[in-house]
Amino acid sequence: MADLVHDIKRALSLPPHVVARKAAQRARRALKDSRERLQAMRACTYARDAIALTEPLLSLLSGVQVPNHASESAQEWLGHTFSLLGSGSVTVAYGMACDGLEGHRYPPGEPVMPDPAGTWLGRVVTPANLAESRRIWSLVSPDYMPIDWQIDFKSGYRWSARTWYRDIRYGHLPGVDVKVPWELARCQHLPALAALAARSDDAAIRERYAREVLDVILDFVAQNPPAFGVNWACPMDVGIRAANWTLALDLLREGGMPVPPEVERVVARSLLEHGRHIVANLEWSPELRSNHYLADVAGLFFIAAHLERTRETDAWLAFALQELAKAAREQFHQDGGNFEGSTSYHVLSLDMVAWSLGLLSLIPHERLEALRSYDPAVVRTGPGLALPPADVASVRDTLSACVVGGARFISALTRPDGLLPQFGDNDSGLFVLVGPEFVQSAVTAARLPERPPEVGDPAAAGRLRERIERGELKSRQYVFSAEGLREGLTLECFPESGFYVWRSERLYLAVRCGAIGQNGAGGHDHCDQLGIELWINGAPLVRDPGTYLYTPLPERRNEYRSAKAHFVPRVPGREPARLDLGLFVLPGAKPGVCECANATVFVGRHEGYGEPVWRMIEVRDDAVVVTDASTLELEDLREHRPPVYSPGYGLLE
C-alpha cells in the first residue's frame, strides 16, 4: 500500500506524457523480466565460457597507500569481523543474532555446518546452480567458515540467494538497510589484506592473508550465483566488487603469491559474469547518469583490462574507456566540483576517476592500440550502440583534468580538522579503500580555468541593507564574535558547483549556494541552500549534521534532509522542497543564486519558499555576521538545535 501511495503521488507530480512513457517502460520491463526470470530459475546461471586473467597490470607495491587501520583490522577480517556503516565490530556468520536498528530487530536464521563437499549449499542456492556452486566450494580451505552474504547484520534481516536479482525488494521494512550487505560484498578489505601479505617478510602471514583473499572470493562466487540474491541487485556494487577483486589479485601475484590455476579459472569466469551483468543492467538513462553509472563503467573497465583479449572484452574496454570520459565530464564541473550536490559523493566519484586514470596508464600500449578496431555491436545496451574508435589520449586528458580539478576542490573545502563539510548526502562510500598514490605520476599538467577571485555585484550587499532599513524586508541577525578573523583571509569561489570558502588563520567559513544536484533531481541534496559550516580558532560553531541513514528509517532520512536540520533561513512550518515524494528526489527545491561573493561579504538567495529569502554574511575582523531577510516571517535560529551529529553513514556522535 505504501508503494502504491508513493507511485500515485509521484505520478501526480509528473506531466502526463512522462507518466505514459514510464508506464509503457514498466510494462515492457515486466514482460522482459518474466521471460528472464523463468530462464534463470530453470538453468545454471554460471557462465560456460573459459577465460583467463591477464598478467598483473599494476605496479602497486610501491604505489598503494594502505590505510593505517588495516594492520590492526587484519586479524578481525580473518575472523570475518567487520565494522561497516555504523554496525560496530560484528562477526558475520550464519545464525548470528543482531543488535537491531533503533528497536527494529529480526530473528536469527539457522546456522550452517559447512562440509567440504558443499552439501550445505543446497539450502542456499537454486537447484539449477547447486552442482557448480558445490564444485567451487570444494576449492575453499577446509577450515574456512562461510560468510552470510545475504544478511543485514545490523537489523538481522536476510535476503535469499534463491531470489532472482530484479525481484529483490528493499526499503519496505522498518530498520532494514540493504546498504549493509552491499557494502560487505564490495570486498574492499581484500586489496588491503593482499597488500599487507605482499609487503610482509613473514611467510606464515603471507600465506594466511593470501589464502583468506582467495577463500573470500571463492566463498562469494559459490554462494552468489550470477543474477541471484541481494548482491546482484545494484550494478554499481557489482562493478566496485569486481574492481577490488582485480586489485587484490594483482597485489598477490605481483607480491610473489601465485593464484592456483583452478582458483584463477573460477575468479576469471566470475569477472566475466560480473562484466556481462553490468552491460545488461547499465544504470543509464537519457535524463540522468549519476555516480552509479560512473561506477558501472569504471568496474567494467577494470574487468576488461584484467581479462584476456576476446571480441567481447575488447568491446567492453573500448566502451568503458569512452563512457568513463563522458561520465567523468558529466560528474565534474569545470570549476572542479561535482554535479551530485554532495561533497561526500564528490570524493567517491573522484576516487573512481583517479583509479581509472591510474589503471589506464598501466595497460600495455598494444592492448590500447587494438581498440581502434573493436566491434561495437557487442555492447548493445544504453549508449553503446555506435561508438567511434576509442581516442585514448582524449580519455586520458579528460580523466586527468577531472582528477586535478576535483583534488583542487577538496583541498579548498577541507576543514581545520582535515575533513570535508558534509553538504548533501554522505554514504561513506569509496571505490577502493587503499590509496592510489601511483595516480600522481599519471596526472599530466591539466589546463583548468582559473577560479574567479570574486563573484557577482559588490553593490548587492548595500542594496540588501537598504531594503532591510526601509522595512521592505524582515530580517534576523546572528553574530559570531572573535578577534583577528581577517588575518591572512582568502576566498575560494566555485560558482558552478555552488560552494564558497573563506579561510584565515582563525576562520573557516564554507557556504552552500548553487544548483540542485543531479541536473535538478536533487537525489543527494538536502534542504541546505545558503547553509554554512563555521569554525573559529579550530572549533566548530556551525556544522552540517550529516546524513545518518537512507532507506531503513525514512523519517530519519527526512529529518537529516530537512531545513530544520541546517543553519539556513527558515520559514515557520514550511520546507523549501517536498520530502514526501521519495527519499532520493527533492521536488520543488530551488537553486541558490550568489549575488555577491568577495573578500569580506557574501549575498545569496533562493526561492524555495515561493518568495525570495536572502542571506548576507559579513566577515569582519572581530566577528562573522549572518543576516537573513525576506518578505516572509523567518524563524529565529538562535535556538537552532540540529539532529545528533552523524560523522558518517549509520553513525551518531
Side-chain angles (χ1 to χ4, degrees), residues 320-330 394-395 398-399 402:
L321 263 178
Q322 294 172 84
E323 289 301 296
L324 269 170
K326 293 178 187 176
R329 181 45 67 205
E330 289 177 346
S394 176
V395 170
T398 297
L399 299 184
C402 291

Side-chain angles (χ1 to χ4, degrees), residues 174 554 640:
H640 174 61

Side-chain angles (χ1 to χ4, degrees), residues 248-563:
L249 292 171
D250 275 354
L251 280 162
L252 291 182
R253 294 186 295 166
E254 188 190 4
M257 291 163 284
V259 180
E262 64 275 16
V263 174
E264 182 172 319
R265 284 193 290 270
V266 169
V267 178
R269 186 189 67 176
S270 186
L271 289 173
L272 182 71
E273 293 159 351
H274 278 62
R276 287 174 177 170
H277 189 85
I278 293 170
V279 170
N281 296 278
L282 287 168
E283 294 165 282
W284 182 94
S285 76
E287 296 84 12
L288 177 66
R289 277 80 62 195
S290 71
N291 63 90
H292 278 242
Y293 183 64
L294 179 61
D296 295 347
V297 293
L300 188 65
F301 179 50
F302 271 75
I303 293 168
H306 282 84
L307 293 178
E308 66 175 325
R309 284 196 59 195
T310 67
R311 178 170 171 263
E312 189 172 27
T313 59
D314 274 359
W316 288 355
L317 192 62
F319 169 78
L321 263 178
Q322 294 172 84
E323 289 301 296
L324 269 170
K326 293 178 187 176
R329 181 45 67 205
E330 289 177 346
Q331 278 279 310
F332 290 95
H333 296 304
Q334 290 294 322
D335 64 11
N338 188 276
F339 103 126
E340 298 277 354
S342 157
T343 50
S344 297
Y345 277 86
H346 175 101
V347 174
L348 171 61
S349 297
L350 182 61
D351 200 32
M352 290 188 274
V353 175
W355 272 103
S356 298
L357 175 63
L359 178 62
L360 176 59
S361 69
L362 296 167
I363 295 177
H365 177 72
E366 59 272 16
R367 180 82 192 269
L368 296 176
E369 280 296 307
L371 300 184
R372 299 182 182 278
S373 58
Y374 81 100
D375 182 357
V378 172
V379 185
R380 304 178 185 277
T381 307
L385 296 175
L387 291 172
D391 185 345
V392 175
S394 176
V395 170
R396 184 179 290 112
D397 289 345
T398 297
L399 299 184
S400 175
C402 291
V403 169
V404 172
R408 186 170 74 177
F409 177 86
I410 288 176
S411 176
L413 261 75
T414 299
R415 303 183 313 200
D417 63 350
L419 303 176
L420 285 176
Q422 296 183 82
F423 290 118
D425 274 344
N426 178 10
D427 77 341
S428 299
L430 286 174
F431 189 56
V432 180
L433 292 185
V434 295
E437 284 186 351
F438 65 93
V439 166
Q440 295 305 316
S441 63
V443 176
T444 57
R447 293 185 177 182
L448 296 173
E450 290 298 319
R451 296 185 303 279
E454 58 183 48
V455 175
D457 181 2
R463 289 195 297 269
L464 185 61
R465 290 191 193 97
E466 290 175 1
R467 294 190 65 187
I468 293 172
E469 291 170 359
R470 290 198 300 265
E472 296 177 14
L473 300 174
K474 303 169 187 178
S475 66
R476 298 280 190 178
Q477 191 170 85
Y478 314 99
V479 180
F480 302 88
S481 299
E483 296 296 328
L485 295 180
R486 287 187 177 180
E487 188 173 345
L489 185 65
T490 61
L491 167 65
E492 297 268 14
C493 296
F494 299 89
E496 190 179 4
S497 304
F499 295 94
Y500 303 83
V501 186
W502 287 259
R503 189 189 302 273
S504 72
E505 293 184 10
R506 299 190 177 189
L507 172 70
Y508 171 89
L509 170 64
V511 178
R512 166 74 173 126
C513 178
I516 305 301
Q518 297 182 342
N519 300 332
H524 290 303
D525 276 81
H526 294 182
C527 294
D528 62 358
Q529 287 292 342
L530 305 182
I532 69 172
E533 280 238 359
L534 176 63
W535 294 58
I536 292 179
N537 293 325
L541 299 184
V542 178
R543 285 192 300 184
D544 188 292
T547 297
Y548 186 37
L549 293 168
Y550 283 172
T551 60
L553 299 172
E555 68 282 2
R556 298 285 263 153
R557 164 83 170 137
N558 284 334
E559 179 186 4
Y560 280 79
R561 290 203 299 166
S562 167

Side-chain angles (χ1 to χ4, degrees), residues 31 74 83 104 123 132 143 166 194 196-197 240 339 349 377 436 471 531 541 597 622 627:
L31 182 61
S83 180
H104 300 286
R123 292 166 43 193
E132 182 59 11
D143 58 346
R166 288 195 195 132
L196 291 173
I240 293 176
F339 103 126
S349 297
L541 299 184
D622 62 350
T627 304

